[in-house]
Amino acid sequence: MLLALPMGVFAQNLKFGHINAQEIITVMPEFTQAQTELQTLEKQLSADLLRGKEEFDKKYQEFLAAQDSLPANIAERRQKELQDMAERQDKYRQDAMQEMEKAQNEKMAPIYKKLDDAIKAVGASEGVIYIFDLARTAIPYVNEAQSVNLTPKVKAQLGIK
């Protein structure tokens, strides 16, 4: 009984917090700017892909129209050119996807770092043991009576209303 009493007192002093990082990030000015820059890059890459596809389609239609009248060696060479063009288009599509992923990581990393620093500062000032992020970690239940919602304080730490 004497051993259980200190554990009960200690358990009462534990303080936990939780936040919703998605709710915070979406109102950060840096996020809005990053999204705008990523959308611009995506539009540029999509336009380049569309231009390449249209060029391929045009050459393919020209080939189909003239296929019967072309000598075999020229028809074979044009087929090879079309195949090479399709392979370059596929490679560009893969490169574009990798470029978008890299750009997204580069744009979002400093935003997440700034958020994490704010979370740590709020956690230290509030004296909590843990701050659970409900947006990044699947937590099926949070007892609001025993866990403090620190989302507003993290927003305040970041200068967001």
Side-chain angles (χ1 to χ4, degrees):
M1 174 121 175
L2 289 174
L3 291 174
L5 183 59
M7 294 300 276
V9 172
F10 179 70
Q12 304 245 335
N13 293 330
L14 297 178
K15 191 172 177 184
F16 297 95
H18 62 276
I19 61 158
N20 185 330
Q22 195 64 34
E23 181 181 323
I24 298 167
I25 285 178
T26 56
V27 294
M28 290 175 70
E30 298 92 336
F31 178 77
T32 306
Q33 180 181 355
Q35 288 302 107
T36 302
E37 291 172 7
L38 289 170
Q39 287 171 352
T40 301
L41 178 60
E42 183 179 23
K43 285 179 186 175
Q44 175 191 355
L45 294 172
S46 293
D48 290 347
L49 283 167
L50 182 61
R51 215 175 3 266
K53 181 186 179 318
E54 289 171 349
E55 182 182 342
F56 175 82
D57 290 345
K58 180 182 172 191
K59 287 191 182 265
Y60 183 68
Q61 291 304 321
E62 289 172 357
F63 172 74
L64 288 178
Q67 178 178 338
D68 294 333
S69 62
L70 293 174
N73 63 341
I74 294 176
E76 190 175 303
R77 186 179 59 195
R78 289 203 181 154
Q79 277 183 318
K80 175 73 172 130
E81 288 172 2
L82 287 169
Q83 184 177 2
D84 290 347
M85 186 181 252
E87 288 172 3
R88 282 193 310 271
Q89 187 71 2
D90 286 342
K91 172 91 169 85
Y92 184 79
R93 184 178 300 107
Q94 290 173 354
D95 291 347
M97 287 174 43
Q98 289 175 349
E99 185 176 345
M100 275 301 297
E101 187 176 325
K102 180 182 174 191
Q104 184 164 3
N105 290 339
E106 287 174 356
K107 300 283 182 198
M108 294 305 292
I111 294 169
Y112 279 112
K113 178 165 181 6
K114 185 175 180 179
L115 173 64
D116 289 344
D117 291 345
I119 292 169
K120 289 174 187 173
V122 168
S125 69
E126 292 294 316
V128 295
I129 295 172
Y130 293 107
I131 296 179
F132 297 99
D133 183 353
L134 303 179
R136 290 193 234 179
T137 308
I139 300 175
Y141 172 73
V142 174
N143 184 337
E144 296 276 340
Q146 295 181 344
S147 179
V148 181
N149 184 358
L150 296 173
T151 300
K153 291 188 179 192
V154 173
K155 283 182 177 180
Q157 178 75 22
L158 292 167
I160 300 169
K161 295 180 182 185

